Amino acid sequence: MITVALPKGALLKDSIRLLQAVGLDFSAFLDSTNRQLQIQDPHSSAKALLVRAQDVPVYVEYGQAQLGIVGYDVLREKQPQVAHLADLEFGQCRLSVAVKQSSPYRSALELPPHGRVASKFVRCAREYFHNLDLPVEIVPLYGSVELGPITGMSEAIVDLVSTGRTLQENGLVEIEELFTSSARLIAHPLSYRLNTGNLSSLVAKMRDIAALAKVGS
Amino acid sequence: MITVALPKGALLKDSIRLLQAVGLDFSAFLDSTNRQLQIQDPHSSAKALLVRAQDVPVYVEYGQAQLGIVGYDVLREKQPQVAHLADLEFGQCRLSVAVKQSSPYRSALELPPHGRVASKFVRCAREYFHNLDLPVEIVPLYGSVELGPITGMSEAIVDLVSTGRTLQENGLVEIEELFTSSARLIAHPLSYRLNTGNLSSLVAKMRDIAALAKVGS
């Protein structure tokens, strides 16, 4: 029996659509009255877990889920021991450096040395500024990172940007891009190697659909 | 001018009620259509920030907010450099060890050595089992910790319990209590010492109300 870990939030709808296309129905998770975190496909023995995006790789790493769908940003930040199987070609966004529109800085290298950068992506942010040889203090936040520059706590933020609406509403402007992200299919390495529950045929189908999506986009 | 950092979620309503009682009106945050993260009291120059509970001590530590309200659980887990001013006597809950009802374990010391414990409170959980001299692996999760034992990923969890409903709904049972928690008033140490914006009279009023709440309970 296969278990798939699915992320709450922005990637859920497209993840469920993709799984439906390969014959697994977990649409019950989209029902707003649903409180279950673990459901079974009505037509097969496959199960799905609904968890926070950051927890998807944890369930896959420990083998409680053989497959998982999660943003590349989470994989870059947490670096879990999982097999990266495919770019699913949805959930596109980017991890960017942003500053106040009124700020004088227009590139990362212009930021003041020993300035502060607020971020939920502490590891990615630290690595990025380290590679630039620019010493900054990373201020770890859990949410609403845009408040960092607004309150004057930090000169800049490193955060995910998709439409750019949140930045704009908060008077911030993107000045650098660290990397682009999209939804990824990941697997528990041993389960994938042993082809538990005929994982490989499922993965092949999902790869085909993702490839079609890429051509279509 | 004083800025107060307020936590989203369970403590928000009581926090705003307390501030209203000392003459600061931030009830606009309770309006479900509100999207602002920073508002000003209409009758004074005090401001409030609406942030994730874990971020409250960050804004206070960096002095962007002189005061903050946050659960003791967050202070124990993150150990920020802030002044602890008062127990506000609301938001009572406890950090507990829980296992499956069907599990044979009925105390923490019965848990298998090198077993797994899932938690959002990684530092508190690690410290607790370290003090028991019981080597366990802490599995860090961001949400829905109850899925740990349900999926078989962990033998136990360390999580916040208030009514116990979530545990019960998921077939889990509390076996130990690490500590009890409630809302706390914290301050930026330097601002408090310098009595910025006459902080001390505000703090004294809030302490009086909390003391009354304690007598009443």
PDB file of all heavy atoms in Angstrom, chain B residues 5 10 14 24 38 79 92 196-197 200 211:
ATOM      1  N   ALA B   5       3.455  44.081  20.658  1.00  0.00           N
ATOM      2  CA  ALA B   5       3.351  42.965  19.715  1.00  0.00           C
ATOM      3  C   ALA B   5       2.325  41.970  20.239  1.00  0.00           C
ATOM      4  O   ALA B   5       2.422  41.511  21.388  1.00  0.00           O
ATOM      5  CB  ALA B   5       4.714  42.291  19.556  1.00  0.00           C
ATOM      6  N   ALA B  10      -4.981  31.906  19.459  1.00  0.00           N
ATOM      7  CA  ALA B  10      -5.790  31.675  20.656  1.00  0.00           C
ATOM      8  C   ALA B  10      -5.723  32.791  21.697  1.00  0.00           C
ATOM      9  O   ALA B  10      -6.682  33.010  22.435  1.00  0.00           O
ATOM     10  CB  ALA B  10      -5.381  30.346  21.297  1.00  0.00           C
ATOM     11  N   ASP B  14      -8.289  37.725  24.215  1.00  0.00           N
ATOM     12  CA  ASP B  14      -8.062  38.127  25.607  1.00  0.00           C
ATOM     13  C   ASP B  14      -6.987  39.203  25.720  1.00  0.00           C
ATOM     14  O   ASP B  14      -7.041  40.060  26.606  1.00  0.00           O
ATOM     15  CB  ASP B  14      -7.664  36.915  26.460  1.00  0.00           C
ATOM     16  CG  ASP B  14      -8.875  36.035  26.798  1.00  0.00           C
ATOM     17  OD1 ASP B  14      -9.982  36.591  26.938  1.00  0.00           O
ATOM     18  OD2 ASP B  14      -8.702  34.811  26.904  1.00  0.00           O
ATOM     19  N   LEU B  24      -6.094  51.056  25.831  1.00  0.00           N
ATOM     20  CA  LEU B  24      -5.553  50.967  24.468  1.00  0.00           C
ATOM     21  C   LEU B  24      -6.480  50.111  23.599  1.00  0.00           C
ATOM     22  O   LEU B  24      -6.736  48.949  23.911  1.00  0.00           O
ATOM     23  CB  LEU B  24      -4.151  50.345  24.491  1.00  0.00           C
ATOM     24  CG  LEU B  24      -3.087  51.118  25.269  1.00  0.00           C
ATOM     25  CD1 LEU B  24      -1.759  50.385  25.234  1.00  0.00           C
ATOM     26  CD2 LEU B  24      -2.922  52.531  24.693  1.00  0.00           C
ATOM     27  N   GLN B  38      -0.345  46.213  11.306  1.00  0.00           N
ATOM     28  CA  GLN B  38       0.158  47.272  12.176  1.00  0.00           C
ATOM     29  C   GLN B  38      -0.943  48.321  12.281  1.00  0.00           C
ATOM     30  O   GLN B  38      -1.365  48.853  11.251  1.00  0.00           O
ATOM     31  CB  GLN B  38       1.415  47.874  11.540  1.00  0.00           C
ATOM     32  CG  GLN B  38       2.123  48.870  12.401  1.00  0.00           C
ATOM     33  CD  GLN B  38       3.432  49.355  11.750  1.00  0.00           C
ATOM     34  OE1 GLN B  38       4.462  49.340  12.357  1.00  0.00           O
ATOM     35  NE2 GLN B  38       3.364  49.776  10.496  1.00  0.00           N
ATOM     36  N   GLN B  79      13.496  30.939  24.419  1.00  0.00           N
ATOM     37  CA  GLN B  79      14.404  31.594  25.372  1.00  0.00           C
ATOM     38  C   GLN B  79      14.951  32.920  24.855  1.00  0.00           C
ATOM     39  O   GLN B  79      16.178  33.123  24.798  1.00  0.00           O
ATOM     40  CB  GLN B  79      15.530  30.626  25.748  1.00  0.00           C
ATOM     41  CG  GLN B  79      14.962  29.260  26.144  1.00  0.00           C
ATOM     42  CD  GLN B  79      15.815  28.492  27.123  1.00  0.00           C
ATOM     43  OE1 GLN B  79      16.945  28.844  27.397  1.00  0.00           O
ATOM     44  NE2 GLN B  79      15.254  27.431  27.669  1.00  0.00           N
ATOM     45  N   GLN B  92      -4.596  29.516  29.585  1.00  0.00           N
ATOM     46  CA  GLN B  92      -3.987  28.389  30.302  1.00  0.00           C
ATOM     47  C   GLN B  92      -3.969  27.116  29.437  1.00  0.00           C
ATOM     48  O   GLN B  92      -4.962  26.801  28.791  1.00  0.00           O
ATOM     49  CB  GLN B  92      -4.745  28.076  31.600  1.00  0.00           C
ATOM     50  CG  GLN B  92      -4.316  28.915  32.797  1.00  0.00           C
ATOM     51  CD  GLN B  92      -5.019  30.255  32.871  1.00  0.00           C
ATOM     52  OE1 GLN B  92      -5.872  30.553  32.032  1.00  0.00           O
ATOM     53  NE2 GLN B  92      -4.693  31.071  33.855  1.00  0.00           N
ATOM     54  N   THR B 196      10.483  54.001  28.774  1.00  0.00           N
ATOM     55  CA  THR B 196      10.070  54.613  27.504  1.00  0.00           C
ATOM     56  C   THR B 196       8.539  54.756  27.445  1.00  0.00           C
ATOM     57  O   THR B 196       7.821  53.796  27.694  1.00  0.00           O
ATOM     58  CB  THR B 196      10.508  53.705  26.325  1.00  0.00           C
ATOM     59  OG1 THR B 196      11.888  53.406  26.485  1.00  0.00           O
ATOM     60  CG2 THR B 196      10.274  54.379  24.975  1.00  0.00           C
ATOM     61  N   GLY B 197       8.073  55.954  27.117  1.00  0.00           N
ATOM     62  CA  GLY B 197       6.633  56.184  26.939  1.00  0.00           C
ATOM     63  C   GLY B 197       5.827  55.863  28.196  1.00  0.00           C
ATOM     64  O   GLY B 197       4.670  55.456  28.109  1.00  0.00           O
ATOM     65  N   SER B 200       5.984  51.925  32.585  1.00  0.00           N
ATOM     66  CA  SER B 200       5.775  51.278  33.887  1.00  0.00           C
ATOM     67  C   SER B 200       4.357  51.471  34.414  1.00  0.00           C
ATOM     68  O   SER B 200       3.814  50.579  35.065  1.00  0.00           O
ATOM     69  CB  SER B 200       6.801  51.774  34.898  1.00  0.00           C
ATOM     70  OG  SER B 200       6.644  53.162  35.059  1.00  0.00           O
ATOM     71  N   ALA B 211      -3.908  40.333  38.440  1.00  0.00           N
ATOM     72  CA  ALA B 211      -4.025  39.892  39.827  1.00  0.00           C
ATOM     73  C   ALA B 211      -5.495  39.690  40.191  1.00  0.00           C
ATOM     74  O   ALA B 211      -5.865  38.717  40.865  1.00  0.00           O
ATOM     75  CB  ALA B 211      -3.378  40.919  40.748  1.00  0.00           C
TER      76      ALA B 211
END
